[in-house]
Amino acid sequence: LVALLLIAGPPLLAASHGVVFMYHRFGQSETPSTNVRLEQFEAQLDFLEREGYTVMALGTLVTRLAAGQGVPDRTVAITADDAYRSIYTQAFPRLRIRGWPMTIFVSTDIVDRGGANYLTWPQMREMRDSALVSFANHSASHGHLVRRREGENSRQWHRRIREDINRAQRRLQEELGQGVNADPALFAYPYGEYNRALA
């Protein structure tokens, strides 16, 4: 899945936009709707390299565009949602060989429960220590944040969602350091669902 990130700015010689490649699972054919086959992933990486794309950390891309600095033409960022184990076993080794950065959006509750198909905190610390991988907030619960529970009023809903997001941020900082997702603050809405009241 590819999302286009556009931030308007003054005319620059450099580009004022970037493309974000967003993945979930790598080489897990049992979940085809959220999986990229390894041969597809490698072909995509080969294409980016062959065609001279700049692979930039998402935080750097956002910071530069927000400041109106622009980025090199053909700039992309690579991200993955949900912190599946195949990020560590399949994607990270392939990106590390190329020296390319990646941002992983983590839902922390399943990691804390030791989900069998998910990253562990030690694996995330190893990736963090490579200086190629950064981590950001994907909520603690990975719930449908836009949906209110039965009988829940607007104030209760806002409080629950705020606590969910804050819990995830706290766990990321406890396990990966205070600098996690500090500047810029990045957040990926679970399922891509949001509305004005939530934003």
Side-chain angles (χ1 to χ4, degrees):
L1 298 174
V2 181
L4 186 62
L5 176 68
L6 294 171
I7 299 179
L12 298 167
L13 294 176
S16 59
H17 65 274
V19 174
V20 180
F21 284 73
M22 188 272 287
Y23 299 95
H24 284 82
R25 305 171 195 255
F26 300 83
Q28 292 184 262
S29 57
E30 67 277 10
T31 53
S33 65
T34 56
N35 176 62
V36 61
R37 295 192 319 269
L38 294 180
E39 59 270 23
Q40 287 177 314
F41 185 55
E42 289 174 352
Q44 291 165 5
L45 299 181
D46 288 343
F47 176 83
L48 294 175
E49 186 168 30
R50 184 175 64 250
E51 298 298 321
Y53 283 78
T54 298
V55 180
M56 185 176 287
L58 180 60
T60 304
L61 175 61
V62 169
T63 298
R64 290 186 60 164
L65 293 179
Q69 296 175 341
V71 294
D73 194 26
R74 295 184 170 199
T75 293
V76 304
I78 298 173
T79 73
D81 283 2
D82 301 339
Y84 290 111
R85 184 76 52 93
S86 62
I87 297 169
Y88 177 79
T89 60
Q90 303 299 335
F92 176 54
R94 288 167 168 82
L95 293 171
R96 182 170 48 187
I97 287 171
R98 298 170 191 264
W100 287 354
M102 175 185 225
T103 300
I104 302 171
F105 289 91
V106 181
S107 293
T108 56
D109 283 355
I110 189 70
V111 175
D112 282 337
R113 289 195 300 267
N117 208 17
Y118 290 83
L119 294 171
T120 65
W121 292 115
Q123 288 169 334
M124 285 189 261
R125 284 191 284 273
E126 178 186 339
M127 288 190 285
R128 175 206 62 193
D129 292 346
S130 74
L132 292 173
V133 180
S134 56
F135 297 88
N137 196 324
H138 196 37
S139 81
S141 67
H142 200 281
H144 293 274
L145 304 185
V146 297
R147 300 180 189 173
R148 293 188 198 180
R149 293 175 178 165
E150 186 175 347
E152 188 174 52
N153 64 35
S154 178
R155 185 174 177 182
Q156 292 167 328
W157 171 63
H158 277 106
R159 183 185 311 117
R160 177 174 58 84
I161 299 307
R162 190 178 309 110
E163 289 172 356
D164 189 311
I165 293 169
N166 288 340
R167 182 170 78 250
Q169 189 64 27
R170 186 170 56 253
R171 289 298 295 131
L172 287 166
Q173 291 174 339
E174 288 169 352
E175 294 290 346
L176 303 176
Q178 290 299 312
V180 170
N181 200 26
D183 187 22
L186 302 173
F187 179 81
Y189 291 95
Y191 308 102
E193 297 175 340
Y194 69 96
N195 57 26
R196 278 189 162 183
L198 186 61

